[in-house]
């Protein structure tokens, strides 16, 4: 079942699906969803995690062996598989289909994949994972949607999503979610903003204070980048 990746990234205590497929090219969204799913899995008793990376020469049979064996150290286990290319190949496809068809109740499968083209989404392995649990795509945030993403991010960090802050962040970081997220985290730290256990902010800066802190931060970063570049050029390290 396809769901919005923001739903998987949400901090809640809802039961986790036995099979989760995360795929796409937007690394920040992919990793944040992955981190939250790990947290939920651990909270729900999946305390042992076994990780695999499908690199060239990878032995797919290892996953089957892990899935068919009972954990010696925990009641439940999480099998995490990373597929950077989004293409498991014929052997990988067979193994994934077999695994989800015979996976024991005390095992959860989390697959983190790179972008999967439309043709790939029609293959057996993809359909098998989607049918057995949930799948979510980390879609690239288009330029027109970037200000809206920044607004939501600011709000989630207890900051004010005012037009000037959004405009400045868009100007400096348009299209770079990771850099924008890091700058917003820094802004929350510099202004003393933050959220507690509830969605309501513990403290919230006024618009002028927030904008001034952001302007100082991006200005410092710009000067650092310029002088670092000049130093690197003079040292021949470029």
């Amino acid at each position: 079942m396809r769901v919005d990746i923001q739903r998987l990234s949400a901090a809640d205590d809802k039961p986790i699906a036995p099979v989760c497929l995360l795929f796409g090219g937007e690394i920040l969204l992919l990793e944040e969803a992955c981190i939250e799913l790990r947290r939920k899995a651990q909270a729900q008793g999946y305390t042992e995690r076994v990780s695999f990376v499908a690199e060239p020469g990878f032995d797919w049979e290892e996953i089957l062996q892990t899935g068919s064996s009972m954990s010696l150290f925990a009641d439940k286990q999480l099998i995490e598989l990373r597929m950077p290319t989004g293409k498991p190949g014929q052997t990988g496809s067979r193994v994934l289909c077999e695994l989800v068809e015979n996976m024991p109740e005390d095992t959860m499968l989390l697959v983190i994949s790179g972008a999967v083209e439309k043709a790939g989404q029609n293959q057996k392995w993809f359909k098998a994972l989607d049918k057995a649990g949930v799948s979510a795509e980390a879609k690239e945030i288009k330029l027109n949607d970037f200000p809206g993403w920044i607004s939501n991010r600011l709000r989630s960090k207890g900051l004010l999503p005012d037009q000037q802050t959004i405009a400045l962040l868009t100007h400096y970081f348009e299209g770079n979610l990771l850099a924008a997220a890091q700058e917003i985290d820094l802004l929350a730290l510099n202004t003393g903003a933050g959220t507690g256990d509830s969605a309501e902010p513990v403290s919230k800066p006024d618009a002028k204070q927030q904008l001034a802190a952001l302007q100082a931060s991006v200005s410092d970063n710009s000067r650092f980048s310029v002088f670092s570049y000049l130093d690197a050029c003079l040292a021949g390290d470029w």
Side-chain angles (χ1 to χ4, degrees), residues 162-187:
D162 68 285
Q163 291 185 351
Q164 287 182 300
T165 297
I166 293 172
L168 190 58
L169 286 167
T170 300
H171 172 73
Y172 276 94
F173 304 106
E174 189 171 42
N176 191 337
L177 262 65
L178 181 58
Q182 291 174 336
E183 187 63 40
I184 291 171
D185 287 344
L186 181 61
L187 181 61

Side-chain angles (χ1 to χ4, degrees), residues 3-237:
V3 299
D4 191 307
I5 198 166
Q6 299 296 333
R7 174 181 165 187
L8 292 182
S9 301
D12 57 49
D13 297 322
K14 294 180 180 178
I16 198 167
V19 176
C20 294
L21 168 62
L22 306 177
F23 67 100
E26 196 58 75
I27 302 300
L28 177 67
L29 300 183
L30 205 63
E31 290 304 318
E32 287 187 339
C34 184
I35 291 170
E36 185 57 33
L37 282 174
R38 284 200 206 107
R39 185 199 66 79
K40 291 179 182 179
Q42 186 170 26
Q44 294 176 28
Y46 296 90
T47 53
E48 181 180 354
R49 179 162 67 97
V50 184
S51 301
F52 299 95
V53 180
E55 298 175 319
F58 174 64
D59 184 4
W60 285 91
E61 298 298 328
E62 289 186 28
I63 297 181
L64 284 181
Q65 293 171 6
T66 301
S68 62
S69 62
M70 297 295 292
S71 172
L72 298 176
F73 307 102
D75 293 332
K76 298 180 180 180
Q77 66 176 344
L78 168 64
I79 299 177
E80 184 174 302
L81 169 66
R82 286 186 177 269
M83 296 195 308
T85 65
K87 299 177 180 179
Q90 186 174 359
T91 302
S93 178
R94 174 185 60 80
V95 167
L96 288 172
C97 290
E98 185 175 341
L99 179 60
V100 297
E101 288 175 4
N102 303 286
M103 196 165 56
E105 294 183 1
D106 62 351
T107 300
M108 174 189 166
L109 175 64
L110 172 59
V111 179
I112 307 105
S113 171
V116 180
E117 301 298 332
K118 197 68 176 179
Q121 295 179 32
N122 289 323
Q123 293 180 359
K124 288 184 179 180
W125 70 270
F126 190 97
K127 290 184 175 181
L129 294 177
D130 183 68
K131 182 179 179 180
V134 297
S135 64
E137 183 176 6
K139 296 181 180 179
E140 180 183 354
I141 302 297
K142 299 186 181 298
L143 296 183
N144 290 341
D145 298 325
F146 195 66
W149 180 85
I150 288 177
S151 177
N152 292 333
R153 191 83 180 188
L154 288 166
R155 190 177 292 108
S156 72
K157 298 297 181 179
L159 294 162
L160 295 170
D162 68 285
Q163 291 185 351
Q164 287 182 300
T165 297
I166 293 172
L168 190 58
L169 286 167
T170 300
H171 172 73
Y172 276 94
F173 304 106
E174 189 171 42
N176 191 337
L177 262 65
L178 181 58
Q182 291 174 336
E183 187 63 40
I184 291 171
D185 287 344
L186 181 61
L187 181 61
L189 180 65
N190 289 339
T191 58
T195 55
D197 294 333
S198 67
E200 293 300 320
V202 173
S203 62
K204 183 178 291 187
D206 60 50
K208 290 184 179 180
Q209 176 193 3
Q210 178 176 290
L211 183 61
L214 177 59
Q215 289 172 329
S217 178
V218 295
S219 177
D220 287 343
N221 288 339
S222 296
R223 285 198 300 272
F224 176 79
S225 298
V226 170
F227 286 120
S228 295
Y229 176 72
L230 290 175
D231 290 341
C233 289
L234 291 173
D237 184 18

